[in-house]
Amino acid sequence: MGKIIIVYASLTGNTEEMAELIAEGVRSAGAVADLKMVEDCNAVRLLEYDACLLGAYTWGDGELPDEFADFVDEMKELNLAGIRAAVFGSGDTSYRLYCAAVDELEQRLREFGAVIVQPPLKVEYGPSPEEKVLCREFGASFAHSLGALHRP
């Protein structure tokens, strides 16, 4: 079904937990999922996979985490046309812009040519038991959407 890279930034472990659950969902659908912390990954790695999932917590008043700055700069130099992608992350509804980093990543992916295949997944703080199920479903749905796109 394909190889999917999941690149994420996590400060408190909430987005990391989401990434791990999403990877479980991807794998349950028969695809390969490689998890990478953004600080340990160069954006050029996206081109080695059939698709990518990016995850981030929202920092301050809606900014991307600093860990994603270099990665996004590197993405500008890539041809992501046709790369299938989706975005996820954690946030806090007490801030004016809830999960704005997720929206920023999705906008950047679109700007650089990626095809967003499903709506983003946003969770307040860490995933609740119900949201853990949603994370797994998010990953499985993403993997299944790739299979549908690969059919003749």
Side-chain angles (χ1 to χ4, degrees):
M1 184 176 284
K3 282 177 47 176
I4 298 166
I5 188 168
I6 302 170
V7 181
Y8 68 92
S10 188
L11 183 64
T12 61
N14 294 334
T15 307
E16 180 175 25
E17 182 178 11
M18 290 180 73
E20 290 168 352
L21 292 164
I22 289 167
E24 287 177 21
V26 166
R27 292 178 185 127
S28 76
V32 174
D34 288 340
L35 279 168
K36 304 284 182 193
M37 291 181 67
V38 71
E39 55 263 39
D40 298 329
C41 186
N42 295 320
V44 71
R45 297 285 312 272
L46 299 178
L47 301 177
E48 299 170 15
Y49 291 81
D50 298 309
C52 68
L53 290 161
L54 301 183
Y57 61 93
T58 297
W59 185 249
D61 289 325
E63 295 93 33
L64 273 173
D66 290 341
E67 300 94 323
F68 256 106
D70 289 341
F71 192 88
V72 170
D73 282 343
E74 291 170 9
M75 282 182 11
K76 291 177 191 174
E77 306 301 318
L78 302 176
N79 179 5
L80 297 180
I83 298 277
R84 289 172 289 295
V87 183
F88 64 95
S90 58
D92 182 343
T93 55
S94 68
Y95 286 93
R96 185 176 60 84
L97 299 172
Y98 174 64
C99 283
V102 173
D103 299 332
E104 173 77 13
L105 279 177
E106 184 175 88
Q107 178 184 335
R108 294 301 183 106
L109 282 165
R110 285 183 199 279
E111 182 180 315
F112 304 143
V115 177
I116 304 300
V117 298
Q118 68 189 44
L121 177 63
K122 299 177 181 180
V123 169
E124 183 163 21
Y125 308 122
S128 67
E130 296 82 13
E131 290 167 330
K132 288 179 182 183
V133 171
L134 289 176
C135 288
R136 289 184 190 99
E137 289 173 351
F138 182 84
S141 175
F142 185 76
H144 285 303
S145 74
L146 300 181
L149 292 171
H150 280 73
R151 287 190 197 123

